Amino acid sequence: MASSKDEISKNILVTRNLKKYFGEVHAVDGVNLSILEGEVAFIIGPNGAGKTTFLNLLCKWLEPDEGKIFFMGKDVTKMPPYKLTKMGIGRSFQLVNLYDTLTVFDNIRVAVISRLGRSGKIFSLVDRDKEVAKETEEILKTFGLSDKKDLLASELPHGDRKLLDVAIPFALKPKLLLLDEPTSGVSTEEKDPVMKTIVSAVKAAGTTALIIEHDMSIVFSYSDRVIAMHEGKILADGKPKEVQENKLVKTLIMGE
């Protein structure tokens, strides 16, 4: 399928015939996808469907075997990860990756400093940087972490660790945020508040989000759009209700 210039220009993200094989395993097998700016789209599918591999291709942690990736109208297929980050792609992973020996405040402050290009400052000057401190406080408030800002990241309960893990790439002000199971390992009681906080934050900022999630009640409560993957291919793609009622999705993903 050829990519039209119009489609590439009007969507923040476009993939065409994207493939990644590991031997006989077709992890991502010819995925064509277009994401509009500001969408909050969820990717669902069984284990091994290719969801995480697809996100790894988008942020260039993996190189595609075939296909193209367009971000903000530009072909970024061969672009290295650090350049994609500068262009505006943020990423969190299924396993939380925090600076456990730093406070919650400093975990976010490091990201703000990096984005503003002030990492060369000596620490005493950074401590007096009111712009950095103000922005860090605002992000803490957005993610409901203000009252925990002086705790070490290692001291946070799991749900708050997940929120902090998303708040860090959010502090980079990405145009596209890729989240891999932000509620995994979170207690049933915490899942809804955690996802509500994340979706509220990205919508308020106008950030486009592509989120892998296994909890169907969370998916169909918070998504603008649902993309179902199975064996490396897109099985269904549409509004939550449409995908929820899709017969193949019911059989192959929901086990109904």
Side-chain angles (χ1 to χ4, degrees):
M1 184 189 299
S3 296
S4 71
K5 290 183 179 180
D6 182 57
E7 184 178 13
I8 292 168
S9 64
K10 75 179 183 180
N11 288 281
I12 191 169
L13 176 73
V14 176
T15 70
R16 283 295 170 253
N17 196 36
L18 203 61
K19 295 181 180 180
K20 185 64 182 181
Y21 296 171
F22 300 99
E24 297 299 314
V25 177
H26 294 188
V28 174
D29 196 9
V31 169
N32 297 302
L33 187 67
S34 300
I35 302 290
L36 287 169
E37 187 173 1
E39 275 192 310
V40 176
F42 281 70
I43 303 178
I44 64 173
N47 290 334
K51 305 181 299 296
T52 296
T53 300
F54 181 62
L55 256 59
N56 285 338
L57 291 172
L58 297 182
C59 65
K60 300 306 297 297
W61 282 84
L62 288 174
E63 291 292 332
D65 295 327
E66 290 184 33
K68 294 283 187 180
I69 303 167
F70 300 90
F71 178 60
M72 296 180 62
K74 296 181 180 179
D75 184 346
V76 298
T77 312
K78 298 186 182 299
M79 191 171 286
Y82 76 93
K83 286 191 176 180
L84 280 179
T85 300
K86 287 185 176 180
M87 277 188 72
I89 295 182
R91 171 77 194 272
S92 79
F93 296 85
Q94 186 175 353
L95 297 176
V96 172
N97 186 21
L98 303 174
Y99 298 107
D100 277 336
T101 58
L102 294 181
T103 65
V104 173
F105 183 91
D106 280 338
N107 266 269
I108 295 175
R109 183 166 65 156
V110 166
V112 175
I113 289 168
S114 174
R115 195 194 78 246
L116 294 174
R118 298 178 187 176
S119 54
K121 280 191 172 186
I122 60 173
F123 197 71
S124 60
L125 290 178
V126 170
D127 272 344
R128 296 197 296 269
D129 194 322
K130 292 182 180 179
E131 181 185 358
V132 169
K134 181 181 178 182
E135 187 173 333
T136 301
E137 293 282 3
E138 288 172 353
I139 295 167
L140 285 165
K141 184 177 180 181
T142 296
F143 284 86
L145 295 169
S146 296
D147 61 337
K148 301 178 179 72
K149 68 177 185 178
D150 295 324
L151 293 178
L152 295 179
S154 60
E155 297 173 330
L156 288 177
H158 194 68
D160 288 334
R161 284 176 63 80
K162 283 287 190 174
L163 286 173
L164 180 57
D165 193 50
V166 176
I168 291 170
F170 182 85
L172 298 174
K173 291 191 175 180
K175 296 175 177 67
L176 173 64
L177 189 57
L178 308 174
L179 305 179
D180 194 347
E181 296 192 46
T183 69
S184 68
V186 175
S187 68
T188 303
E189 295 76 20
E190 289 180 298
K191 281 190 175 188
D192 188 74
V194 165
M195 188 57 75
K196 184 177 182 179
T197 299
I198 291 170
V199 171
S200 295
V202 298
K203 282 187 173 290
T207 305
T208 308
L210 197 54
I211 305 170
I212 295 175
E213 179 58 56
H214 280 289
D215 189 316
M216 294 298 106
S217 64
I218 293 291
V219 169
F220 293 115
S221 295
Y222 291 100
S223 55
D224 297 328
R225 174 181 174 188
V226 178
I227 300 150
M229 290 187 69
H230 186 260
E231 295 183 348
K233 297 180 182 292
I234 293 180
L235 186 69
D237 179 3
K239 296 293 184 182
K241 190 172 180 61
E242 296 169 357
V243 175
Q244 193 173 20
E245 294 176 351
N246 183 285
K247 290 182 179 180
L248 286 175
V249 171
K250 284 183 175 182
T251 302
L252 297 174
I253 296 177
M254 298 183 188
E256 296 181 8

